[in-house]
Amino acid sequence: TDGITWQTLAELVDSGSYAFDSTAYGFANEARVRLIPIDAAENLGTEVISEAFTIDNLPPEITLTAPAGGEIWGGTRSIQWNTEAHFPASVHIEWRLGENAPWFVLAEAVADNGVYEWQTDQLGQDSEDAFIRVTATDQFGRQSAPSESASSFGLDNSPPSVSVVRPTAEAIIGGVYEVRWETPVWDHEELHPGTARIEFSSDGCLT
């Protein structure tokens, strides 16, 4: 298949054409065909070798690298993948919320540049059980096996809220004082680690 090692494809009546089944050869980018004319007396004529051409019978391969699973995403995030394809491919991206939920299209025929910027808030809901799946299609229409997140990841686009329990209005305090607050019970507690920043002003919030 490289133009150096020759394999006999067929010896047949000179009809001017031959249907060459290349599927057994996988991929070769320096393939050539050699023709040798043979007359009725079995005299060999001068061989003729074609120009180099490419054989490609291999579908693309794709591997999703982000999100891998376990992350918590919000805002705009980069879906990332690696593709192995001899000719340009496009990428189909899907999402679902729940391991047994149906897949929905996120983006179709995305250029195979290894990254897609996803505005995660476009789904309109938070989840701790999100998945992404990508599939590559080459220019001949052959598809890769899909590649998806190894485990679920979180989506969080809801800002947290908090209310002050103490000090109460007009409280007078001295020494060490216990500040208390309440946060709501979240539907997806895994997405909210409960971190709070406490600040203090002594001049009515002027500074």
Side-chain angles (χ1 to χ4, degrees):
T1 57
D2 58 5
I4 298 175
T5 302
W6 297 101
Q7 303 175 35
T8 299
L9 294 177
E11 292 188 9
L12 67 168
V13 175
D14 183 7
S15 61
S17 68
Y18 170 72
F20 173 36
D21 183 0
S22 68
T23 55
Y25 296 92
F27 178 82
N29 60 3
E30 285 290 334
R32 290 175 171 83
V33 170
R34 180 171 66 178
L35 299 176
I36 305 172
I38 306 172
D39 64 17
E42 298 187 353
N43 297 310
L44 301 182
T46 302
E47 67 180 34
V48 177
I49 299 176
S50 72
E51 297 295 331
F53 59 93
T54 299
I55 294 174
D56 182 12
N57 289 292
L58 301 179
E61 297 180 1
I62 191 169
T63 302
L64 180 69
T65 57
E71 305 95 333
I72 299 177
W73 277 14
T76 301
R77 295 299 182 107
S78 298
I79 298 173
Q80 301 178 47
W81 63 86
N82 294 322
T83 307
E84 292 185 15
H86 294 107
F87 293 94
S90 62
V91 176
H92 184 77
I93 305 175
E94 300 168 287
W95 65 274
R96 68 179 178 184
L97 302 181
E99 187 171 358
N100 298 314
W103 290 100
F104 297 96
V105 176
L106 177 63
E108 294 184 278
V110 174
D112 184 20
N113 56 14
V115 63
Y116 175 78
E117 298 300 325
W118 178 29
Q119 295 180 353
T120 62
D121 58 358
Q122 74 184 69
L123 298 187
Q125 59 182 307
D126 294 344
S127 175
E128 77 277 14
D129 203 21
F131 293 84
I132 288 291
R133 180 170 73 175
V134 292
T135 306
T137 303
D138 68 15
Q139 65 183 24
F140 302 107
R142 295 175 301 208
Q143 287 191 335
S144 69
S147 176
E148 65 180 85
S149 312
S151 60
S152 64
F153 64 97
L155 292 174
D156 179 13
N157 286 290
S158 299
S161 61
V162 66
S163 60
V164 177
V165 175
R166 55 180 296 191
T168 58
E170 308 301 330
I172 299 174
I173 69 173
V176 177
Y177 184 84
E178 183 181 37
V179 177
R180 292 185 180 178
W181 63 91
E182 289 183 347
T183 54
V185 177
W186 298 99
D187 292 334
H188 305 293
E189 294 183 1
E190 296 87 346
L191 305 182
H192 302 276
T195 300
R197 182 172 66 233
I198 304 175
E199 300 178 334
F200 168 73
S201 172
S202 62
D203 57 7
C205 302
L206 296 177
T207 59

